[in-house]
Amino acid sequence: MVLGRRYRVGRSVVYSAGVMRVGYVQMRPRFGEVGANLRRVRELIGSERADLWVLPELFNTGYVFTSHDEVRALAEVVPAGDTTHELITMAGELGAHLVAGLAEREGDQIYNAAVAVGPGGMLALYRKVHLFSEEKRWFTPGDTPFPVVPVAGARVGVMICFDHYFPESARTLALQGAEIIAHPSNLVMPGIAQRTMVVRAMENRVFTVTANRVGLEERGGRALRFTGLSQIVAPTGELLARSPEETEEVRVIELDPERSHDKHINPWNDVLADRRPAFYAR
Ligand code: ACM
């Protein structure tokens, strides 16, 4: 249910969603099986309804690449590639927006990217700024700004997985007015992002939605276990949803994006207005 509501920002009146449904898909992608992974997303969502769905990082390809040729073959041009096309089709069918991670190819460069799409097409492409571990072998560091897109009257920011380790990522989105941060992930360090994202939510007073994957991926003599525990956090740091470590699961919650507008933690302190940027630069 989306209830329209007006509110004031400074002297302007802005139209916003009152309550929206936000969900994530925690899944176990099969390496290299793009069609099967897309079908699995549809199966898991089933008849659940949400205004915004967040899918994991690289949800369509899997994560443990073994060669540049392999990454190149699985990377897609955006928005022309099959995955973005299928996500837009899904958005139309579900009447929803989706934020999802995929390997993107532009010319000779391959990026660990995320797209934000809606029934009307693509809204944003984000290329992961902070590459994790061996991702540096396969991907070019991102060169796109952290995007904020409109979804059902709310402002949704996008960052990918290891971006959580750098508080600047979420802060940059909050300073642009993000109310909800969509965080497609393939987390492998147990319990770390589950804690940092509670802090990112609190220090910026925003909602965060971390969609992680599960399962062991063993390829080319390397094995990674993905840690599940996808979660949704409120601007107070309250945990609104958390999934198990090992099983696929879809969760949807209703939230009011306006709860992110009050940046006060007490009558004296506003987490954005109290910043002292003059002291942050060397
Ligand atoms: C990560 O950035 N996939 C840990």
Side-chain angles (χ1 to χ4, degrees):
M1 181 176 43
V2 177
L3 303 172
R5 197 182 292 173
R6 286 177 187 278
Y7 65 93
R8 285 189 178 278
V9 174
R11 280 180 299 165
S12 328
V13 175
V14 178
Y15 190 73
S16 154
V19 177
M20 69 185 284
R21 291 174 65 84
V22 172
Y24 61 71
V25 178
Q26 173 167 298
M27 61 184 289
R28 184 191 314 270
R30 291 201 235 152
F31 188 89
E33 298 186 35
V34 174
N37 293 327
L38 280 159
R39 283 193 295 279
R40 187 67 186 141
V41 171
R42 280 180 186 277
E43 268 171 27
L44 286 165
I45 290 179
S47 58
E48 274 290 353
R49 219 187 48 72
D51 300 297
L52 171 67
W53 287 105
V54 185
L55 274 44
E57 177 183 13
L58 296 167
F59 83 97
N60 62 336
T61 58
Y63 186 87
V64 184
F65 299 101
T66 57
S67 71
H68 285 279
D69 285 349
E70 193 174 71
V71 192
R72 175 161 297 282
L74 286 167
E76 296 184 20
V77 175
V78 171
D82 289 348
T83 297
T84 309
H85 184 264
E86 180 63 12
L87 287 169
I88 293 169
T89 304
M90 222 184 284
E93 289 169 11
L94 297 169
H97 286 69
L98 295 104
V99 175
L102 77 179
E104 184 227 353
R105 175 163 47 86
E106 186 189 56
D108 289 340
Q109 308 301 318
I110 312 285
Y111 300 94
N112 183 343
V115 291
V117 307
M122 200 174 84
L123 295 175
L125 166 69
Y126 166 66
R127 294 168 170 164
K128 188 176 185 178
V129 165
H130 303 103
L131 295 176
F132 177 71
S133 187
E134 295 195 32
E135 287 172 26
K136 293 187 178 190
R137 291 174 66 189
W138 316 124
F139 298 110
T140 302
D143 57 359
T144 51
F146 291 100
V148 178
V149 298
V151 174
R155 296 185 288 270
V156 175
V158 181
M159 58 189 234
I160 302 177
C161 203
F162 192 51
D163 285 331
H164 76 87
Y165 225 94
F166 301 85
E168 295 87 349
S169 315
R171 178 69 97 206
T172 302
L173 291 168
L175 288 171
Q176 293 182 76
E179 297 165 313
I180 301 167
I181 293 180
H183 181 218
S185 295
N186 271 194
L187 295 160
V188 292
M189 296 188 287
I192 302 292
Q194 285 76 12
R195 282 180 281 171
T196 60
M197 288 306 287
V198 168
V199 178
R200 300 295 163 260
M202 288 170 63
E203 68 195 359
N204 294 295
R205 306 281 291 184
V206 294
F207 292 93
T208 65
V209 185
T210 297
N212 195 16
R213 59 161 289 184
V214 293
L216 178 71
E217 203 166 275
E218 271 186 291
R219 304 195 67 254
R222 289 172 63 231
L224 285 179
R225 182 172 294 286
F226 298 90
T227 53
L229 302 172
S230 297
Q231 65 184 28
I232 301 178
V233 185
T236 52
E238 183 192 348
L239 204 51
L240 302 176
R242 180 172 279 168
S243 285
E245 275 177 55
E246 290 181 359
T247 48
E248 295 186 312
E249 186 176 72
V250 159
R251 290 289 294 274
V252 177
I253 62 138
E254 282 197 2
L255 56 79
D256 182 350
E258 289 190 27
R259 279 185 60 204
S260 68
H261 294 180
D262 183 2
K263 302 298 183 188
H264 285 92
I265 55 169
N266 62 43
W268 295 88
N269 293 114
D270 175 308
V271 294
L272 294 190
D274 283 0
R275 295 173 67 247
R276 304 287 307 278
F279 290 90
Y280 306 154
R282 279 252 188 111

